[in-house]
Amino acid sequence: MGTKFSALWMAFLLLFPVVLSTHNGGLIRIGLKKKKLDQVNHPVGTLDSTKGEAMRVATKKYNIYDNIGNSGDTDVVALKNYLDAQYYGEIAIGTPSQTFTVIFDTGSSNLWVPSSKCYFSLACYFHSKYKSSESSTYEKNGTSAAIQYGTGSIAGFFSQDNVKVGDFVVRNQDFIEATKEPGVTFLAAKFDGILGLGFQEISVGKAVPVWYNMVNQGLVTEQVFSFWLNRNVKGEEGGEIVFGGIDSNHYKGEHTYVPVTQKGYWQFDMGDILVGNESTGLCGNGCKAIADSGTSLLAGPTTVITQINRAIGASGIVSQECKTVVAQYGKVILEMLMAQQAKPQKICSQIGFCTFDGARGVSTNIESVVDETTDEVSNGVQDAMCAACEMMIVWMQNRIKLNQTEDQILNYVNELCDRLPSPNGESAVDCGSLSSMPHVSFTIGGKVFGLTPEQYVLKVGEGVSAQCISGFTALDVPPPHGPLWILGDVFMGPYHTVFDYGNLRVGFAEAA
């Protein structure tokens, strides 16, 4: 989604859950147990890079150029919820089965997983890899392929094999073996690959999507699939995707359906957006929108997102981190500089924000804990706190040369903090102010779908250490393709979403 930047990277050592299949009400359910990730302690309050990267991974892409009856031909794949930012489930490829965790993504159309032939990308070494030599149903293709997402890219080649989704076996499915996953995006991901559920019109190489083959091979009688995303991060279930029907236990009332206006993404027309009871004025005559399970946040034009973030008191993550450093350590740093107690490049490491490599500061390694099992996780160079401290050193040195007073220097640094952009679009909010924040509502099919502050704010941690992130981020797409809204998991969590392929429509109802 746009051009993304990340100065943070980390490696995950994953513990995959036990998978059990059960039959319930004609639906085949695959149960996944949740692995909780404890909050990382920072020297001062900030969103840790593990969680920030999780949201950047799932907030991505866009290179813009009724009750459907249950039947025996339905399948349910349970999803895991990682910090309300990634929802992923399990599939298998090959004979015998090789298991992978994937994001079921309605905003793309290809299936890809890491290849055993991926030798030079670090991300491949921390995820499951497909081994064609171990599958008796593998068919060679070899055609080169590459996919560019807003937050990362993959490259590799096409292969063909059987793909198992729940109890459905999709035969002769073309997919991409990824041999290159450059950068940090997929290194930090809790998933191995992506299973696209968009239309074939946006499929790289015009490969037939997995969902199309489910329909073409007669695996489902109802040409529909539906998402229920559990926004309770403490819940055992992350959610469910149901292929071939919907589960009436997942929603309340009736769905409101709108037609797909352009095949590719699941795109439809949307009406006005309200902050509180006031119109934002941009979509009074209609806007384009996309329902995207592969995007964690809710993205829209800067004009409206700015109004929303102003109304909820949101500020840029980088700006807030910078001001936190100034408030808690500004005087100490200034005194050290003025007294020349240490070399400027060593001050941030002495305070604990960075380590010193002999020439400059680099971020300290911080451990993360998964349940009771400790897996050491290394953050990459220059995390946000280290960067904020180092910027402050430069700013203060410049003002000291001008013989300014302590108050003048600290006020000047604070002003510069206010002007720092958030390169990944995240905005922080005060966790204690949720009760005073307005509802934000979207008009779809003539009905108003409201989001409460508790629904559009992502809360990480508990008590005084809790950190809150705005669920809204800016994305500007010019006409004729825009203005465009991306209704990601922030919206699809409160509203059960039906993707009706047979009738080319999308439906929304209050989630149960």
Side-chain angles (χ1 to χ4, degrees):
M1 184 175 68
T3 301
K4 293 291 182 179
F5 163 85
S6 178
L8 311 171
W9 66 272
M10 58 166 288
F12 277 100
L13 299 179
L14 299 182
L15 296 177
F16 289 104
V18 175
V19 182
L20 299 173
S21 293
T22 61
H23 293 265
N24 186 359
L27 300 180
I28 303 168
R29 302 178 183 275
I30 303 173
L32 300 180
K33 291 186 181 292
K34 181 182 297 294
K35 294 287 186 183
K36 296 177 184 177
L37 183 69
D38 290 344
Q39 188 175 15
V40 175
N41 294 319
H42 270 286
V44 293
T46 176
L47 179 71
D48 90 77
S49 60
T50 303
K51 300 173 178 77
E53 187 61 33
M55 280 179 280
R56 285 189 281 280
V57 168
T59 305
K60 59 174 176 53
K61 58 194 184 281
Y62 301 108
N63 299 312
I64 298 297
Y65 342 154
D66 244 92
N67 187 339
I68 301 172
N70 294 333
S71 73
D73 294 314
T74 60
D75 203 9
V76 179
V77 177
L79 303 177
K80 286 194 66 178
N81 174 2
Y82 178 57
L83 297 168
D84 278 349
Q86 295 177 16
Y87 290 86
Y88 52 96
E90 209 169 74
I91 65 168
I93 303 177
T95 308
S97 295
Q98 300 175 39
T99 303
F100 302 90
T101 53
V102 295
I103 283 185
F104 291 90
D105 178 19
T106 59
S108 65
S109 299
N110 292 88
L111 168 62
W112 67 263
V113 295
S115 172
S116 60
K117 299 177 179 64
C118 179
Y119 304 117
F120 302 110
S121 293
L122 187 59
C124 291
Y125 289 92
F126 292 93
H127 294 92
S128 299
K129 296 186 287 291
Y130 171 75
K131 303 176 180 65
S132 59
S133 61
E134 296 182 6
S135 174
S136 62
T137 47
Y138 161 74
E139 293 291 338
K140 183 178 179 179
N141 181 313
T143 304
S144 297
I147 301 177
Q148 177 67 50
Y149 297 99
T151 51
S153 63
I154 65 102
F157 57 89
F158 278 103
S159 291
Q160 187 179 98
D161 209 333
N162 294 345
V163 175
K164 187 176 182 181
V165 182
D167 275 7
F168 291 164
V169 177
V170 181
R171 304 193 181 281
N172 305 320
Q173 175 65 48
D174 289 326
F175 66 99
I176 298 171
E177 289 192 49
T179 56
K180 294 180 182 179
E181 297 180 30
V184 303
T185 296
F186 297 114
L187 179 67
K190 296 284 284 185
F191 55 88
D192 301 316
I194 292 177
L195 192 155
L197 292 169
F199 291 91
Q200 190 174 3
E201 279 77 358
I202 59 170
S203 175
V204 171
K206 296 301 178 184
V208 179
V210 172
W211 167 247
Y212 279 50
N213 277 329
M214 283 188 185
V215 173
N216 296 339
Q217 294 177 20
L219 300 178
V220 295
T221 53
E222 297 285 352
Q223 297 183 20
V224 63
F225 58 91
S226 54
F227 274 85
W228 170 67
L229 304 180
N230 184 2
R231 299 296 280 178
N232 179 8
V233 296
K234 294 181 179 179
E236 283 295 316
E237 295 179 286
E240 286 183 342
I241 175 172
V242 181
F243 292 103
I246 64 174
D247 186 339
S248 59
N249 294 319
H250 287 163
Y251 65 94
K252 304 173 184 177
E254 301 293 329
H255 287 86
T256 297
Y257 285 95
V258 286
V260 172
T261 55
Q262 182 174 334
K263 291 171 67 177
Y265 305 113
W266 287 86
Q267 183 173 319
F268 54 91
D269 289 333
M270 184 173 71
D272 201 7
I273 293 100
L274 308 174
V275 177
N277 295 318
E278 295 185 6
S279 169
T280 56
L282 183 66
C283 294
N285 296 321
C287 280
K288 301 176 179 68
I290 292 167
D292 183 3
S293 61
T295 292
S296 61
L297 305 183
L298 200 159
T302 299
T303 305
V304 181
I305 296 298
T306 301
Q307 294 178 55
I308 293 173
N309 279 342
R310 179 180 180 275
I312 67 178
S315 61
I317 291 289
V318 174
S319 174
Q320 188 178 71
E321 288 175 339
C322 179
K323 297 187 78 169
T324 299
V325 175
V326 174
Q328 298 193 20
Y329 294 93
K331 288 188 177 181
V332 173
I333 292 173
L334 185 56
E335 288 173 0
M336 293 176 72
L337 283 171
M338 297 183 74
Q340 298 182 344
Q341 293 177 350
K343 293 182 179 180
Q345 63 266 39
K346 288 187 177 181
I347 290 177
C348 293
S349 61
Q350 289 184 357
I351 293 176
F353 290 120
C354 313
T355 58
F356 187 69
D357 66 358
R360 62 174 305 280
V362 296
S363 68
T364 55
N365 291 338
I366 299 171
E367 290 186 355
S368 177
V369 179
V370 181
D371 281 344
E372 300 299 324
T373 305
T374 300
D375 285 321
E376 292 189 2
V377 180
S378 296
N379 286 334
V381 296
Q382 195 173 356
D383 79 356
M385 301 303 291
C386 178
C389 180
E390 291 183 329
M391 285 187 293
M392 189 188 309
I393 296 290
V394 175
W395 296 337
M396 286 182 173
Q397 285 179 303
N398 290 336
R399 308 319 284 183
I400 290 173
K401 292 176 182 177
L402 298 176
N403 295 318
Q404 290 190 341
T405 66
E406 177 182 288
D407 286 343
Q408 287 176 319
I409 293 174
L410 292 177
N411 287 337
Y412 171 76
V413 172
N414 259 318
E415 289 175 6
L416 292 185
C417 286
D418 280 330
R419 298 177 183 274
L420 281 174
S422 284
N424 296 293
E426 307 97 332
S427 296
V429 297
D430 180 1
C431 294
S433 301
L434 265 64
S435 61
S436 62
M437 295 179 189
H439 284 49
V440 179
S441 304
F442 299 82
T443 308
I444 300 172
K447 182 176 179 178
V448 176
F449 292 82
L451 296 177
T452 66
E454 291 76 15
Q455 292 170 334
Y456 64 67
V457 171
L458 280 69
K459 189 175 182 180
V460 179
E462 299 293 338
V464 295
S465 62
Q467 300 154 19
C468 291
I469 306 300
S470 168
F472 299 99
T473 189
L475 171 70
D476 292 304
V477 179
H481 298 296
L484 180 70
W485 285 83
I486 313 301
L487 305 188
D489 298 341
V490 164
F491 187 85
M492 289 177 60
Y495 294 103
H496 180 260
T497 308
V498 176
F499 296 85
D500 188 344
Y501 176 76
N503 295 301
L504 290 180
R505 60 180 186 169
V506 184
F508 302 98
E510 182 183 355

